[in-house]
Each structure stands twice: as C-alpha cells, then as structure tokens.
Amino acid sequence: MRVQPPKIRTAALMLGLGLLAACGGKQTEVVAVPVGEVECMARAMYFESNRSSRDGMVAVGTVVLNRVHSEAFPDTVCGVVGQRNQFAPGVMTKPMSDRGAPLARATALAVLQGERHPKVTRAKFFHAAWYNANYNNMHYVVTAGGNAFYEKRRPALVTTPNPLPPLEGITPL
C-alpha cells in the first residue's frame, strides 16, 4: 500500500468533508478554502486549545478570523497564526500527530466556511484560563478549551473583568 504525501491527504480530506457537508439534509453553500489556510488554522486550534474541545477550537478559530479582518493584524490566516510571539511556540513547525489532528482540520474547515463561536463575538485575544493577567482593559466573553477569551476595552467599558467559568458543548458537532 502506497502512503500519500500529507498535502494530497489533506486535500482529499478537505474535498471529502466538503462533499459530506453538501450531502446533509440542510441546504448549505460549500465555500472553497485554500488547503494552506486550513492547515494554518488547524495548527492554531490544535496547539492553542490543547486538543481539549471542539468549542475551544472554534473559539480559537474565531479569534484568528477576527484578527484577519482587523487592520492591526496580517490579512491572512497563515499570516496571523505565524505572527511572532502571538501563538504557541512551534505552532507552524511542530507535528500534529495524535487523534486531535483530524478534529482540528475538520473544525478549521468549518470555521473557514463560516462557523463562529457565538460567545467570542469581536474578541481578538485569549490566554490560558489558569493565567491571572490582571490588566484593567480586559473584558472577558467566554472560557472554552482551556482558554479565556477577551476583548480589549477602555477600563470604563469593562463589565466582565475576570475570566468566566468554562462553557462547553455549545458549538455543533
């Protein structure tokens, strides 16, 4: 049996996922997404959510896309994920080798085709849920997948200054 190179396997997986999405009872538009963008998004989700939950992965993906659409960050997924000192060390180079990699790739494709975490809204930042950042401009919106997600606001507009209890199970499977 001949093993396919990773890029061919990834492309085949993306095509298969697109076909499966199109076969569901609900009419949905399948959006073509470059394989490289899927891989970069999957890497951010895989390494930042510690492969702990789909909700955490969708939340990380939502933050990545919020950054892509912001003037303050690069305008591509790979540009955002590869930005120095923003994501886990080695996010673009370490292997994704365990059972979490297929979930990360499938979730990345779903986010790139339009799925968003409903609680992340405009947040462009997150940190490990256990970390106590202690800044007065952090408005927390959700905690999922081991991370606390927040918006930076003027201190007078912060109404949730502390990370919220973890919330899981709100994104579809």
Side-chain angles (χ1 to χ4, degrees):
M1 175 181 195
R2 186 169 172 260
V3 178
Q4 295 177 339
K7 286 187 179 181
I8 293 173
R9 278 194 309 247
T10 302
L13 174 66
M14 296 305 109
L15 177 62
L17 289 171
L19 291 172
L20 283 174
C23 292
K26 191 170 138 183
Q27 293 267 341
T28 57
E29 181 181 335
V30 177
V31 178
V33 179
V35 173
E37 295 286 282
V38 174
E39 189 64 15
C40 290
M41 180 68 82
R43 290 181 153 283
M45 293 173 166
Y46 181 89
F47 290 108
E48 292 294 350
S49 73
N50 299 315
R51 302 160 300 284
S52 60
S53 76
R54 186 175 190 285
D55 283 350
M57 289 184 185
V58 173
V60 167
T62 303
V63 164
V64 169
L65 290 181
N66 286 348
R67 287 182 177 198
V68 167
H69 294 107
S70 168
E71 294 292 321
F73 296 93
D75 61 358
T76 66
V77 171
C78 292
V80 167
V81 175
Q83 197 173 19
R84 189 174 169 98
N85 298 322
Q86 293 298 305
F87 290 91
V91 69
M92 298 298 279
T93 57
K94 287 184 182 177
M96 296 191 303
S97 57
D98 71 6
R99 294 178 294 181
L103 175 62
R105 287 186 179 103
T107 305
L109 182 61
V111 169
L112 289 167
Q113 289 183 328
E115 183 177 350
R116 300 292 182 272
H117 193 288
K119 299 286 187 178
V120 171
T121 59
R122 297 182 310 251
K124 294 182 194 78
F125 305 95
F126 61 92
H127 59 70
W130 54 264
Y131 179 72
N132 182 7
N134 203 25
Y135 293 102
N136 67 354
N137 67 338
M138 299 168 77
H139 175 80
Y140 290 93
V141 295
V142 70
T143 299
N147 291 309
F149 296 82
Y150 63 95
E151 299 172 8
K152 287 185 180 179
R153 294 183 176 181
R154 289 185 309 207
L157 299 177
V158 172
T159 59
T160 310
N162 298 306
L164 299 159
L167 180 63
E168 302 290 342
I170 63 171
T171 63
L173 293 175

